[in-house]
Amino acid sequence: MKHVSSPFRGKRASRAASIGLANAVMMVGGALAASAVANYVLAKRAERANPPEGRFVEVDGVSLHYVESGTGDPLVLLHGNGSMIQDFETSGLVDLAAKSFRVIVFDRPGYGYSERPRTTVWSADAQANLIHSALARLGVSKAVVLGHSWGASVAASLALRHPETVTGLVLASGYYYPSVRSDVVTASGPAVPVIGDLMRYTVSPMLGRAIWPLLMRKIFGPASMPAKFAGFPVEMALRPSTIRASAAESALMIPNAFAARGHYAELKMPVSIIAGDDDRIVDIEHQSARLHREVSHSTFDSVPGEGHMIHQTATARVMAAIDTAAGR
């Protein structure tokens, strides 16, 4: 006898599949909502534990947070991607430099307590112009400027666009020339509109907490992470707002280098370049060493056995690079 399928059986199977899919969607949505709430609570807790320790200056409608220490000729410190003022503070560089400089450390746009309006593409040039205007508001017309990592791009741009302000330039562990970087694609995800916003409020902070120890080993390696870095507020760096700023800067890294690559020879002030010779983030031969060859009057300190976080692990050498750029 021929078997005849019942149309009702197919409808029941289809309905069950639809219900299963709806339940799965609800479960995923619930999990994402729960993670968003948890990340919000953790971000607010981090801010309560780490309130602003400096002052604010408003420039072109953007509020920048900064700390100031010491007296003497101004020295401006610009941190790297995903970081904030506390990176320089925990390194001991601020206290060391404040013995002979008026040290001004900014939270760059989107980090710490500085704003990062979404109406602006915060390229290195845009940030350099903002920092220049902020310094003018603080009564600083001339300064030695140090930038670390992504901050080195901002420092170099500041020196190129406003050479009358930068009397000496210190570039630490910087990325200056475009290259193939697969990590840029993955790191840029949270900057994508809508999808990126969903990521940075839900999965990105959780992923960041999970991989933080691995990331620290990579950026500090081959050196060990120093005990003093324990004072860095990790949860502040894992807030959704900070993750967005970091992702956007990852996406801008290669375009920034492409735009600046032909202009470094225009730098006329003293330039001190410093990097760890075993940097696992940036190829120093194709970056720092090449820049040194291009800027003929520059100095270059390739520090043996050190990695990307040169200001943390070889603080005295970075201080010496500052003194060199300052003509001391």
Side-chain angles (χ1 to χ4, degrees):
M1 179 180 294
K2 184 182 291 187
H3 177 73
V4 179
S5 298
S6 168
F8 297 105
R9 184 179 301 169
K11 290 181 180 179
R12 284 196 298 270
S14 176
R15 188 179 302 113
S18 298
I19 293 173
L21 178 61
N23 288 337
V25 170
M26 290 177 62
M27 290 176 64
V28 171
L32 291 176
S35 65
V37 171
N39 290 327
Y40 175 83
V41 170
L42 289 171
K44 292 302 178 183
R45 181 184 299 171
E47 290 171 356
R48 288 194 298 271
N50 301 277
E53 58 186 76
R55 289 175 281 183
F56 292 87
V57 56
E58 186 166 320
V59 184
D60 299 330
V62 179
S63 178
L64 285 177
H65 178 235
Y66 70 98
V67 297
E68 192 171 334
S69 182
T71 58
D73 295 332
L75 168 66
V76 177
L77 305 181
L78 302 173
H79 62 76
N81 189 351
S83 193
M84 61 196 79
I85 286 171
Q86 287 91 331
D87 183 14
F88 283 123
E89 290 182 325
T90 59
S91 74
L93 184 61
V94 175
D95 289 340
L96 192 60
K99 295 177 181 178
S100 54
F101 289 92
R102 174 192 175 188
V103 183
I104 301 170
V105 194
F106 287 99
D107 277 331
R108 291 193 297 102
Y111 300 102
Y113 283 98
S114 289
E115 296 176 342
R116 190 184 180 99
R118 298 186 71 154
T119 52
T120 299
V121 176
W122 290 105
S123 64
D125 287 349
Q127 293 192 40
N129 289 335
L130 187 73
I131 296 296
H132 178 259
S133 297
L135 291 173
R137 292 287 300 272
L138 297 178
V140 176
S141 59
K142 295 183 182 299
V144 175
V145 179
L146 177 148
H148 172 252
S149 193
W150 216 95
S153 298
V154 180
S157 178
L158 182 61
L160 288 167
R161 298 175 74 85
H162 305 283
E164 74 288 348
T165 297
V166 181
T167 58
L169 181 63
V170 185
L171 301 175
S173 306
Y175 179 82
Y176 314 107
Y177 301 96
S179 63
V180 177
R181 292 285 299 260
S182 59
D183 57 329
V184 167
V185 177
T186 55
S188 302
V192 177
V194 184
I195 295 176
D197 291 328
L198 178 63
M199 290 175 61
R200 65 190 179 92
Y201 279 105
T202 55
V203 298
S204 292
M206 298 166 63
L207 180 62
R209 294 182 188 98
I211 68 171
W212 187 265
L214 295 175
L215 177 62
M216 294 302 101
R217 282 199 289 272
K218 184 173 183 179
I219 66 172
F220 279 99
S224 299
M225 184 178 74
K228 59 187 177 181
F229 192 70
F232 183 81
V234 177
E235 283 296 331
M236 288 287 286
L238 295 175
R239 295 174 301 166
S241 58
T242 307
I243 290 173
R244 181 183 176 276
S246 179
E249 292 194 344
S250 294
L252 287 168
M253 188 172 71
I254 295 174
N256 278 340
F258 189 85
R261 73 195 189 287
H263 297 282
Y264 298 123
E266 299 169 17
L267 296 168
K268 303 304 179 186
M269 71 287 295
V271 179
S272 294
I273 303 165
I274 184 169
D277 72 350
D278 201 7
D279 192 322
R280 297 174 181 177
I281 303 296
V282 176
D283 184 331
I284 71 162
E285 177 59 33
H286 291 96
Q287 299 297 331
S288 294
R290 178 180 171 184
L291 181 66
H292 174 51
R293 292 191 295 269
E294 216 168 283
V295 183
S296 58
H297 62 279
S298 65
T299 63
F300 178 33
D301 186 7
S302 176
V303 187
E306 298 292 350
H308 194 65
M309 299 291 278
I310 194 75
H311 58 297
Q312 285 277 352
T313 58
T315 312
R317 295 283 279 266
V318 174
M319 189 67 236
I322 293 171
D323 286 332
T324 298
R328 298 186 176 186

